[in-house]
Amino acid sequence: DQQVKQNSPSLSVQEGRISILNCDYTNSMFDYFLWYKKYPAEGPTFLISISSIKDKNEDGRFTVFLNKSAKHLSLHIVPSQPGDSAVYFCAARVEDRSDSGGGADGLTFGKGTHLIIQP
Amino acid sequence: NAGVTQTPKFQVLKTGQSMTLQCAQDMNHEYMSWYRQDPGMGLRLIHYSVGAGITDQGEVPNGYNVSRSTTEDFPLRLLSAAPSQTSVYFCASSARRDNQPQHFGDGTRLSIL
């Protein structure tokens, strides 16, 4: 049972246009969501995150939107650049509220979307 | 900044062999985790640790052991390698504060023949 779903294995966008990557989740206990970018032969690189108390977080060209009622989040990249071509992973975590350190059980990842920016 | 360092980068093993994948971080992060990534799949959590001396199982722990004797190091041991463990392994660390992202190493590509 996949708790974090990225239904588009690949997405092709023209340079300068908006890229929209989507992610759905099923576990209502998820409280913190992240997007990672991954180039071949490298580890995932943190891009942007959002806590469930917000519905939008912006960082430069990257904006993440969260719709808790629909259990859906999206990553917008505007404008898209050739260097944005990579695999993008959506990830989710149950927020660690315990001072004892319990509950930090790692991230649950989607399968990724390969974004291709066309010149 | 070294960040999260994984060694080796590549390894080929025969079925039944054992080995240890090394992971070290220099950011004084409390949390460390191991993931595996298989073709067409996202990363899946193998084991994690919330601090020295404390480890716990993730989604796919069978066939792997971990220990956390220091804050910096979190080795992953394959006890008896199987072809199903052919994968790319990623180690990650994060600070123990609210909403801190995990930082990943560049991975170890492991092939079991």
Side-chain angles (χ1 to χ4, degrees), chain B:
Chain B
N1 285 339
V4 179
T5 303
Q6 291 185 237
T7 55
K9 293 192 184 304
F10 303 94
Q11 184 71 49
V12 179
L13 292 178
K14 293 182 179 178
T15 298
Q17 285 185 312
S18 62
M19 82 158 292
T20 299
L21 279 62
Q22 302 291 344
C23 176
Q25 52 93 7
D26 62 358
M27 298 172 280
N28 203 32
H29 284 169
E30 294 88 350
Y31 295 157
M32 295 187 75
S33 310
W34 275 102
Y35 296 83
R36 60 178 287 174
Q37 185 190 14
D38 301 300
M41 303 284 287
L43 282 73
R44 291 183 293 168
L45 182 67
I46 305 171
H47 284 285
Y48 66 97
S49 168
V50 300
I54 306 169
T55 64
D56 208 342
Q57 297 180 351
E59 180 187 354
V60 288
N62 292 342
Y64 308 95
N65 271 359
V66 291
S67 60
R68 184 96 180 270
S69 56
T70 66
T71 299
E72 294 78 19
D73 300 299
F74 191 43
L76 178 73
R77 296 183 187 83
L78 279 70
L79 308 173
S80 177
S84 61
Q85 294 178 303
T86 293
S87 188
V88 182
Y89 291 84
F90 291 101
C91 178
S93 73
S94 62
R96 185 184 164 184
R97 292 190 301 277
D98 283 348
N99 295 341
Q100 291 300 304
Q102 293 194 13
H103 300 271
F104 285 81
D106 282 339
T108 293
R109 186 174 295 274
L110 183 62
S111 294
I112 315 295
L113 305 178

